[in-house]
């Protein structure tokens, strides 16, 4: 199970859940009184002066407040206790995608959103945009030119706001040349990217860069003259902000050596982590801010992060853990995980070639894997059902297996494994017969179609597939594409429990668009005793290096090398891949 967060759930989260319930009920054309009851309760909770969870714990009767009857008080109690409540949970299962967000677009509303879903299968902003762009929306009853124009304008605004965050791989490409450039500035000593980038979040809102330099450096002139700068938002001696041509924001702050560690800690965040650490400091009469750790007026630490943590009485906490998801408590109890590292990874178990939709040959992929120092790599092309990706027919797979064996014979230092990425069909069977599966070393089993099944159906489908004795690895287990496609509905806890029982592995897909399992799911995997595999799903040689992105998510999910199958030797790995 999830470790319960030490912080009580904020009122705003409870209020959001109640409001979302009202939205979803409205989309279902429910009784308006029931809808309004949820909206009223939401507003009341949002405006409470105390924290609802704490109030309940202290015995306050919430029904004393306007708009909260016995029934709703019970539901709020359920949210406070479990972080969820049954009405919303079941509504979310019944109503796909982001219909509740779409209904707030001006010109839409609940009824129209429901109609768009029924007639055009629209469940998210991207699909709505496509329907507007292609003119299909005009064909729906009640949608005229004016509505269409309204929606188009609103989509532009929403997507613009949404796209301010970028995928971490994209931000890496912006950050690397900028950091190299800053390091060339006169008198510059250290340059470090802090913020969510350093915590390896899957998307990043802006770059927070810290610099130390000798006195009288012209670092801010240097920074603002960077060729990719589109606009200087502000420029000062110690802090400047610019927008790059991609519209992405970069903050640069100049720090003193004496408080560099404290500043790095502050600007690495997360804010929630910082607050939790500061609280512990205060218990010891120590004040922590970006200028250092102070007892009274006296700075007692600040030069390095380790020094600051140590003076507060904590071991060093890795940036990826700093989300206030229990890491501070774990640090206090000396129970921090020893996080998996990129250098622990011994091979890649999800790689495509030009047999299907990859760009490189088997030999090219194998040699690139060898160059990374791996001791094994599995070739896993698509199965027959996935025709759009050139899925192999059985005889083509047989031919590929022979070629893999031949190339493996000719390569030293790395073992090529015969694999497949086999589709999980809608009824839960695998897209290859058992005799073919039996002759392979690695079977990655993935969902590539029917994303919109109900949670129950999708879960059953996967569980059924896992009953197949040849099922090794569940590929990209939620199917999400970051900022592009929602995860399909699935009961991850049930899947993980089943995987743990059967010895199935779950993939952390390191492809820059995917990164699923995500951080939360990785943590859940460790807690439920599921072993994961971190794989790149490479479609060309350069993709093999995306392994670091998957490792980043695994680290955010508290995973140690022992939780990750492809940190093991080939011999140990083969045991995990044996049919059951
Ligand atoms: P992002 O950019 O949205 O992906 O996320 P972050 O975490 O990089 O957030 P950002 O850029 O707003 O701020 C960078 C760090 O600075 C943040 O992780 C913690 C710290 N910070 C910013 N504002 C505050 C604040 O009001 N209080 C505290 N304690 N820390 C803050
Ligand atoms: Ca940031
Ligand atoms: Ca920032
Ligand atoms: Zn796939």
């Amino acid at each position: 199970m999830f470790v319960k967060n030490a912080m009580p759930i904020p009122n705003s989260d409870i209020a959001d859940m109640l409001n979302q319930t009202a939205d979803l009920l409205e989309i279902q054309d429910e009784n308006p009184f029931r809808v309004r009851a949820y909206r009223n309760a939401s507003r009341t909770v949002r405006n409470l002066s105390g924290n609802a969870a704490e109030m309940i714990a202290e015995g306050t009767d919430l029904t004393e407040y306007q708009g909260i009857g016995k029934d709703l008080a019970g539901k709020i109690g359920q949210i406070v206790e479990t972080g969820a409540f049954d009405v919303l949970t079941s509504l979310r299962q019944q109503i796909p995608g982001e219909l509740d967000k779409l209904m707030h677009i001006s010109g839409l509303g609940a009824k129209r959103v429901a109609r768009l879903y029924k007639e055009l299968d629209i469940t998210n902003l991207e699909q709505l945009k496509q329907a507007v762009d292609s003119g299909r929306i005009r064909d729906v009853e009640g949608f005229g030119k004016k509505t269409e124009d309204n929606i188009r304008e609103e989509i532009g605004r929403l997507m613009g706001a949404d796209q301010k965050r970028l995928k971490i791989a994209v931000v890496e490409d912006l950050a690397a040349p900028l950091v190299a450039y800053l390091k060339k500035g006169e008198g510059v000593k250290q340059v470090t990217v802090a913020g969510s980038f350093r915590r390896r979040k899957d998307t990043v809102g802006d770059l927070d860069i810290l610099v130390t330099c000798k006195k009288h450096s012209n670092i801010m002139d240097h920074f603002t003259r960077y060729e990719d700068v589109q606009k200087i938002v502000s420029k000062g001696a110690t802090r400047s902000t610019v927008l790059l041509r991609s519209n992405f924001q970069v903050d640069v702050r100049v720090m003193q050596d004496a408080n560099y560690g404290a500043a790095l800690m502050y600007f690495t965040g997360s804010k929630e982590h910082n607050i939790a650490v500061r609280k512990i400091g205060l218990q010891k009469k120590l004040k922590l801010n970006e200028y250092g750790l102070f007892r009274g007026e006296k700075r007692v630490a600040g030069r390095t992060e380790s020094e600051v943590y140590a003076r507060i009485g904590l071991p060093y906490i890795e940036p990826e853990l700093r989300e206030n998801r229990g890491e501070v408590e774990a640090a206090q109890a000396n129970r921090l995980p020893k996080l998996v590292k990129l250098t622990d990874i011994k091979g890649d178990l999800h790689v495509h070639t030009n047999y299907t939709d990859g760009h490189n040959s088997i030999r090219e992929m194998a040699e690139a894997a060898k160059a990374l120092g791996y001791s094994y790599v599995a070739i896993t092309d698509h199965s027959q059902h996935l025709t759009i990706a050139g899925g192999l027919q059985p005889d083509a797979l047989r031919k590929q297996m022979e070629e893999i064996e031949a190339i493996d014979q000719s390569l030293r230092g790395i073992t090529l494994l015969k694999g497949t990425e086999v589709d999980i069909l809608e009824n839960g069977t695998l897209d290859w017969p058992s005799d073919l599966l039996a002759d392979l070393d690695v079977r990655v089993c993935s969902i590539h179609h029917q994303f919109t099944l109900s949670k129950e159906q999708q879960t059953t489908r996967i569980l059924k597939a896992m009953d197949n004795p040849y099922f090794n690895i569940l590929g990209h287990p939620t199917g999400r594409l970051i900022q592009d496609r929602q995860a399909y509905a699935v009961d991850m806890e049930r899947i993980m429990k089943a995987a743990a029982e059967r010895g199935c592995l779950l993939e952390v897909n390191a492809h820059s668009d995917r990164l699923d399992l995500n951080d939360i799911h990785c943590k859940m995997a460790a807690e439920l005793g599921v072993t994961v595999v971190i794989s790149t799903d490479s479609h060309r040689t350069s993709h093999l290096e995306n392994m670091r992105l998957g490792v980043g998510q695994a680290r955010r999910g508290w995973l140690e090398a022992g939780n990750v199958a492809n940190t093991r030797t080939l011999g140990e790995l083969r045991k995990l891949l044996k049919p059951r």
Side-chain angles (χ1 to χ4, degrees), residues 165 193-197 199 204-209 248-249 251 253 267-268:
R165 297 192 74 79
V193 183
S196 53
F197 183 85
R199 303 197 312 278
V204 174
D206 70 357
L207 278 176
D208 306 283
I209 302 184
F248 198 67
Q249 179 173 314
D251 296 336
R253 293 179 176 84
F267 290 110
T268 295

Side-chain angles (χ1 to χ4, degrees), residues 467-486:
D467 283 338
N468 188 313
Y470 294 105
F471 189 113
N472 289 144
I473 303 167
L474 178 60
H476 41 71
T478 73
R480 69 130 173 209
L481 295 175
I482 301 171
Q483 295 177 327
D484 234 6
R485 186 172 72 208
Q486 296 267 93

Side-chain angles (χ1 to χ4, degrees), residues 159-431:
M159 289 204 150
D162 207 37
Q163 273 169 6
K164 268 180 31 200
R165 297 192 74 79
L166 295 178
K167 292 174 204 170
I168 186 158
V170 177
V171 179
E172 282 182 336
D173 288 342
L174 295 173
L178 172 55
V179 167
Y181 171 85
L182 288 173
K183 282 185 174 162
K184 282 190 284 191
E186 199 191 315
V188 171
K189 292 193 281 191
Q190 297 184 75
V191 179
T192 312
V193 183
S196 53
F197 183 85
R198 185 164 178 246
R199 303 197 312 278
R200 306 304 288 166
K201 262 187 85 153
D202 51 11
T203 64
V204 174
D206 70 357
L207 278 176
D208 306 283
I209 302 184
L210 302 188
V211 176
T212 57
C213 41
K214 295 188 186 131
K215 265 197 189 127
H216 310 301
S217 158
N218 60 354
I219 176 67
M220 290 310 187
D221 291 333
H222 180 68
F223 168 47
T224 52
R225 278 199 300 259
Y226 181 53
E227 62 166 8
D228 195 29
V229 170
Q230 177 212 137
K231 186 178 165 201
I232 300 172
V233 178
S234 66
K235 185 177 167 192
T238 58
R239 175 180 175 174
S240 300
T241 297
V242 306
L243 293 181
L244 301 181
R245 285 201 203 114
S246 51
N247 246 337
F248 198 67
Q249 179 173 314
V250 182
D251 296 336
V252 167
R253 293 179 176 84
V254 178
M255 295 294 152
Q256 306 291 321
D257 288 319
N259 71 346
Y260 187 67
L264 188 54
M265 195 171 152
Y266 183 90
F267 290 110
T268 295
S270 68
K271 191 172 160 184
E272 292 73 20
H273 170 86
N274 291 348
I275 290 170
V277 172
R278 209 173 306 146
K279 238 188 219 162
I280 296 179
L282 285 178
Q283 290 161 7
K284 303 183 174 175
K285 303 246 166 10
L286 294 167
K287 206 178 115 221
L288 177 63
N289 59 33
E290 63 267 50
Y291 302 106
L293 184 69
F294 297 87
R295 180 178 295 281
E297 297 293 298
K298 186 171 181 287
R299 176 152 60 196
V300 294
R303 199 163 282 274
T304 66
E305 284 185 325
S306 311
E307 179 189 273
V308 174
Y309 279 114
R311 194 68 180 72
I312 289 179
L314 297 175
Y316 177 74
I317 301 177
E318 304 270 11
E320 292 92 333
L321 294 177
R322 300 182 196 170
E323 298 289 348
N324 198 27
R325 292 184 185 148
E327 74 280 6
V328 177
E329 293 80 358
Q332 283 181 296
N334 238 323
R335 285 189 289 102
L336 282 175
K338 191 167 178 294
L339 298 181
V340 59
K341 299 187 299 291
L342 183 56
T343 49
D344 294 328
I345 302 292
K346 292 199 169 61
D348 201 328
L349 299 182
H350 190 161
V351 170
H352 294 277
T353 71
N354 54 12
Y355 264 79
T356 59
D357 58 348
H359 289 259
N360 294 98
S361 65
I362 299 173
R363 181 175 288 277
E364 285 164 345
M365 295 310 283
E367 278 172 355
K370 189 182 157 184
L372 291 176
Y374 288 155
S375 48
Y376 47 84
V377 59
I379 302 298
T380 56
D381 272 316
H382 291 291
S383 62
Q384 53 195 352
H385 180 272
L386 199 63
T387 45
I388 54 161
L392 301 174
Q393 291 299 313
D395 51 341
L397 177 57
R398 289 277 178 205
K399 177 170 170 286
Q400 186 185 44
M401 284 157 69
E402 281 172 25
E403 191 178 334
I404 291 172
E405 280 180 12
I407 294 176
D408 180 51
Q409 293 287 314
S410 73
L411 281 176
R412 280 167 188 279
I414 187 164
T415 301
L416 265 185
L417 298 172
K418 293 178 301 227
T420 181
E421 181 178 17
V422 56
D423 265 44
I424 299 174
L425 302 179
E426 193 184 342
N427 64 7
T429 56
L430 300 182
D431 190 25

